[in-house]
Amino acid sequence: MPARLRLFRLHFDPPPRGDTVPASDTSSHPTLTSAPETVSAVTLARRPSGVPQVDDFELRTLDREPLAPGRVRVRVRDLSLDPYLISLLGEGHMGDSALPLGAVVPGRAVAEVVEVAGSIALAVGDLVVAETGWRSEAVLDAAAVTPVEAPEDLPASAALGVLGMPGLTAYAAHVRHLRPKVGDTVVVSAATGGVGSLAGALARLAGARTVAVVGSREKARVAVEEVGYDEAVVRTEDDWVEQLRAACPARVDGYLHMADQATLDGVLEQLAIGARVSLVGVIDQTLGAPPTRLRAGAVMGARATVHGMVVYDHHDLAAEHRTRVAALLRAGQVTLREHRFEGLEQAARAFHTLMTGANVGKVVVGVS
Amino acid sequence: MPARLRLFRLHFDPPPRGDTVPASDTSSHPTLTSAPETVSAVTLARRPSGVPQVDDFELRTLDREPLAPGRVRVRVRDLSLDPYLISLLGEGHMGDSALPLGAVVPGRAVAEVVEVAGSIALAVGDLVVAETGWRSEAVLDAAAVTPVEAPEDLPASAALGVLGMPGLTAYAAHVRHLRPKVGDTVVVSAATGGVGSLAGALARLAGARTVAVVGSREKARVAVEEVGYDEAVVRTEDDWVEQLRAACPARVDGYLHMADQATLDGVLEQLAIGARVSLVGVIDQTLGAPPTRLRAGAVMGARATVHGMVVYDHHDLAAEHRTRVAALLRAGQVTLREHRFEGLEQAARAFHTLMTGANVGKVVVGVS
């Protein structure tokens, strides 16, 4: 790994005794070590109401699946947790149906091939990205796993973050929606997360003034000092709209939205003429929140263009995205920022952290 | 005028005795004939609350303004009434301040130059388009009037409609926002009005299936039989969403919005993947209505692109628009559809008609 590669990994420390984080008691989730013939997995125990709690999930031991020709057994190394999952736990996502109670929670991971059956192009020891779900081991169709495309000099877990789907989301929003020019002002919400931190870096490298919208003072510090935003605005503070106005004296030319209604309302009022808005995520995907809506008058007044973003539409950019961002990682201009939790039994807590916005960077659970 | 030019002019007939149209009593607005030294004008008597009423306006006789060098006196022929005016009467439009009580109501007109002062490029008898306001005669800076650019074989009033601002609005929304391809489905609201009828015709000529959203059965008939839409949906009927779904079996690729919240909500739910929405007007510009908002989930689910449209940004298209639409008018592929009222004393009633959506086509008041 070159010396200039900046890798921040924030490891999870268990809360001290007496800590009041809700439903964070891990004693009900004893750490299991997979016996050779069993697999650890986390299932949906209860449909979350509001912010998902640790108790909504259950760590279970399942029998190992037999291997059939054309399939591979993989051992999960790094499990990615992503916000879209919340809608699967409730009413379904993008037309998918909701996850049944008792089912293994879906998720994408970097995994190592440990057994292959039949004549396939993969070998034991290969690292792949696959939809393994929250489990220690998975059996999958060989066609459903993809060799890790992160360059070998970079950590494989980058394939889940800045070089994976969140990174492609940021890259596509940048090149297809926000398209900042030198001197533009680009505002990014969820600015220190997996998508936001890359979007901010790309806008800065394009010559834009970049402004982070974050949920805490600590994240504001990280946004400016570590990610490199010009300014950061704390959306939970009473005067945040004034902070935003002060941070964007020439108004807002590009806005990447992954936040709540109040944030959207506040930023839309500050749009410059001809502004571009990329709707990447909305907090109403949290169960129970009213649907996010955009004021049409603000869009018309700014003659803005609003793009609904779904990363699946932008896979044609994947190779360009990986090449360019890997080069930026090596040059130290983009940081691989991970908020790591160790052990599958920490996945539920990690998801709670993600969905309360307490993470700084891409949330990854180290499984084996 | 070539034989194939289709010109529909719906003339206003006074309501029969006993008619219950609100505030439509014209007896309080006696018809005045300008004496040589005076000018008829309509002023704002009362700030409208909700739909503007005839009594919100007052027909007055003003002294003739003297002519100074570099200025022209014009006699108003055809006065254009446009929906954006409503916001001037209330809280102001696009940053303009509200119209003071007692001021002459603003408006664009085709007018004839009757007197010039100083050395200017205009001659008596020239037809011009100018912001005359609602008056029989106006004195204006020569620089503020534009020679009528409608070809001589077409009625000059076309410069207020299909060849003027409403036409340019439709043209720009078509070429810059909706961009229909052969086989696309394009939905147009306010579909028989000045903007909508041209937008529908342009989409049809581009090979799209066109669906009108209108406010009455009669307009649905006009939309299909006269304007040429493939289907029409009556948004005031209980089952209108089912009508829309039936009319758009392949969902909606392009939508031109100039209607209310319920119409926007209904159409957004039917968007096809990659749909384009042009926000041309919103009914919340009617005083007192809550602001129109777009559901972000519908925009994201369809990966739609929503454009805020203001015609002033698209003047670079004006020459192309006039050339192309004039040719379509001559070929009979686009219809010059005017809903005419005769006499300045009918302007308030004409505006009430426009703002209740009872017009079919561009609303024009013949002044002299």
Side-chain angles (χ1 to χ4, degrees):
Chain A
M1 200 180 299
R4 299 191 58 200
L5 176 65
R6 293 197 296 161
L7 169 60
F8 289 86
R9 284 185 160 174
L10 180 62
H11 284 264
F12 167 73
D13 294 311
R17 211 173 284 268
D19 183 287
T20 57
V21 173
S24 64
D25 178 9
T26 54
S27 63
S28 63
H29 289 174
T31 304
L32 299 187
T33 307
S34 283
E37 294 307 310
T38 62
V39 171
S40 301
V42 178
T43 60
L44 183 63
R46 185 177 67 186
R47 214 164 281 292
S49 140
V51 174
Q53 303 297 323
V54 170
D55 289 352
D56 296 335
F57 303 93
E58 186 179 9
L59 184 67
R60 290 171 56 189
T61 302
L62 307 177
D63 288 340
R64 243 187 165 183
E65 259 187 86
L67 202 60
R71 289 168 73 81
V72 293
R73 187 183 311 279
V74 301
R75 183 177 300 134
V76 175
R77 277 200 184 182
D78 292 309
L79 174 65
S80 173
L81 298 193
D82 297 283
Y84 75 83
L85 180 59
I86 186 66
S87 56
L88 278 183
L89 303 183
E91 297 147 34
H93 177 66
M94 304 284 303
D96 296 343
S97 51
L99 188 71
L101 292 178
V104 175
V105 180
R108 174 176 285 248
V110 167
E112 183 182 341
V113 175
V114 292
E115 196 180 352
V116 301
S119 169
I120 60 175
L122 291 161
V124 169
D126 283 357
L127 287 183
V128 295
V129 173
E131 295 288 340
T132 60
W134 293 14
R135 57 171 102 218
S136 60
E137 195 183 283
V139 172
L140 300 160
D141 277 338
V145 309
T146 311
V148 163
E149 307 212 43
E152 292 196 357
D153 59 334
L154 298 174
S157 60
L160 300 174
V162 79
L163 295 177
M165 295 282 248
L168 180 58
T169 303
Y171 190 81
H174 173 78
V175 302
R176 297 218 157 128
H177 298 166
L178 304 178
R179 301 185 309 279
K181 301 181 299 294
V182 173
D184 275 2
T185 297
V186 172
V187 173
V188 178
S189 56
T192 59
V195 177
S197 55
L198 180 59
L202 291 171
R204 183 181 71 244
L205 293 166
R209 173 178 178 79
T210 56
V211 176
V213 178
V214 293
S216 70
R217 269 289 134 203
E218 169 57 13
K219 285 189 181 178
R221 188 195 64 71
V222 170
V224 173
E225 293 179 11
E226 299 181 14
V227 186
Y229 286 93
D230 293 302
E231 301 267 358
V233 163
V234 182
R235 65 176 167 74
T236 50
E237 296 179 355
D238 285 346
D239 66 341
W240 85 270
V241 171
E242 286 78 57
Q243 292 179 30
L244 179 69
R245 206 174 284 134
C248 306
R251 303 184 72 89
V252 176
D253 301 292
Y255 173 49
L256 191 150
H257 180 70
M258 290 181 296
D260 62 357
Q261 180 72 63
T263 305
L264 185 61
D265 288 344
V267 178
L268 287 190
E269 295 306 320
Q270 299 304 318
L271 294 183
I273 300 296
R276 289 82 60 196
V277 174
S278 186
L279 291 177
V280 172
V282 291
I283 299 288
D284 71 56
Q285 291 182 342
T286 303
L287 306 169
T292 294
R293 296 168 80 100
L294 299 93
R295 198 168 70 76
V299 176
M300 294 174 66
R303 294 85 132 165
T305 304
V306 179
H307 301 269
M309 151 61 83
V310 173
V311 67
Y312 308 127
D313 296 335
H314 302 281
H315 275 299
D316 58 306
L317 287 176
E320 169 188 329
H321 151 244
R322 275 194 307 271
T323 303
R324 179 146 180 237
V325 174
L328 293 174
L329 277 168
R330 290 191 192 97
Q333 292 183 301
V334 165
T335 302
L336 188 65
R337 186 173 304 281
E338 289 183 355
H339 191 141
R340 287 187 73 85
F341 293 75
E342 294 303 333
L344 190 59
E345 69 282 3
Q346 296 297 339
R349 167 185 282 274
F351 191 58
H352 176 80
T353 301
L354 174 65
M355 295 311 296
T356 54
N359 61 302
V360 181
K362 168 72 196 153
V363 174
V364 174
V365 177
V367 176
S368 64
Chain B
M1 200 178 300
R4 301 191 56 199
L5 177 66
R6 294 196 295 162
L7 171 59
F8 289 86
R9 283 184 162 175
L10 179 62
H11 284 263
F12 166 71
D13 294 311
R17 211 173 285 266
D19 183 286
T20 59
V21 172
S24 64
D25 178 10
T26 56
S27 62
S28 63
H29 289 173
T31 303
L32 300 186
T33 306
S34 284
E37 295 306 310
T38 62
V39 172
S40 300
V42 178
T43 61
L44 183 63
R46 186 175 67 185
R47 214 164 281 293
S49 140
V51 174
Q53 303 296 324
V54 170
D55 289 352
D56 296 333
F57 303 92
E58 186 181 9
L59 184 67
R60 291 169 57 189
T61 303
L62 307 177
D63 288 340
R64 242 188 165 184
E65 260 186 86
L67 203 60
R71 289 168 73 81
V72 293
R73 187 183 311 280
V74 299
R75 183 177 298 134
V76 175
R77 276 200 183 183
D78 293 308
L79 174 65
S80 172
L81 298 192
D82 296 284
Y84 76 82
L85 181 60
I86 186 66
S87 57
L88 277 184
L89 304 182
E91 298 148 32
H93 177 66
M94 304 285 304
D96 296 344
S97 52
L99 188 71
L101 293 178
V104 175
V105 180
R108 173 175 285 248
V110 167
E112 183 183 343
V113 175
V114 292
E115 196 180 353
V116 301
S119 167
I120 59 174
L122 291 162
V124 170
D126 283 357
L127 287 182
V128 295
V129 173
E131 296 287 340
T132 60
W134 292 15
R135 57 171 102 218
S136 60
E137 193 184 284
V139 172
L140 300 161
D141 277 339
V145 309
T146 311
V148 162
E149 307 210 44
E152 291 195 359
D153 59 334
L154 299 174
S157 60
L160 300 173
V162 80
L163 296 177
M165 295 283 247
L168 179 58
T169 302
Y171 190 82
H174 173 78
V175 302
R176 297 217 157 129
H177 298 166
L178 304 178
R179 301 186 309 278
K181 300 180 299 294
V182 173
D184 276 2
T185 297
V186 173
V187 174
V188 177
S189 57
T192 59
V195 176
S197 56
L198 179 59
L202 291 171
R204 184 182 70 246
L205 292 167
R209 173 178 178 77
T210 56
V211 177
V213 178
V214 294
S216 70
R217 269 290 134 203
E218 169 57 13
K219 285 189 181 177
R221 189 196 63 71
V222 170
V224 172
E225 293 179 12
E226 299 181 14
V227 186
Y229 286 93
D230 293 301
E231 301 267 359
V233 163
V234 182
R235 63 176 168 76
T236 50
E237 295 180 354
D238 285 347
D239 67 342
W240 86 271
V241 170
E242 287 77 57
Q243 293 179 27
L244 179 69
R245 206 174 283 135
C248 306
R251 305 183 72 89
V252 177
D253 301 293
Y255 173 49
L256 192 149
H257 179 71
M258 288 181 297
D260 62 358
Q261 180 72 63
T263 305
L264 184 62
D265 289 344
V267 178
L268 287 190
E269 296 307 320
Q270 300 303 319
L271 294 183
I273 300 295
R276 288 83 58 196
V277 174
S278 187
L279 292 177
V280 172
V282 291
I283 299 286
D284 72 58
Q285 292 183 343
T286 303
L287 305 169
T292 294
R293 296 168 78 102
L294 298 94
R295 199 168 70 74
V299 176
M300 293 174 66
R303 293 85 131 166
T305 304
V306 179
H307 301 269
M309 152 60 82
V310 173
V311 68
Y312 309 127
D313 296 336
H314 301 281
H315 276 299
D316 57 306
L317 288 176
E320 168 189 330
H321 151 245
R322 275 194 307 271
T323 304
R324 179 145 179 235
V325 174
L328 294 173
L329 277 168
R330 291 193 191 95
Q333 292 183 301
V334 164
T335 302
L336 189 65
R337 186 173 304 282
E338 289 183 356
H339 191 139
R340 288 186 72 87
F341 294 75
E342 297 300 334
L344 190 59
E345 70 281 3
Q346 295 297 341
R349 166 185 283 274
F351 192 58
H352 176 79
T353 301
L354 174 66
M355 294 313 295
T356 54
N359 61 301
V360 180
K362 169 73 196 153
V363 175
V364 173
V365 177
V367 176
S368 65

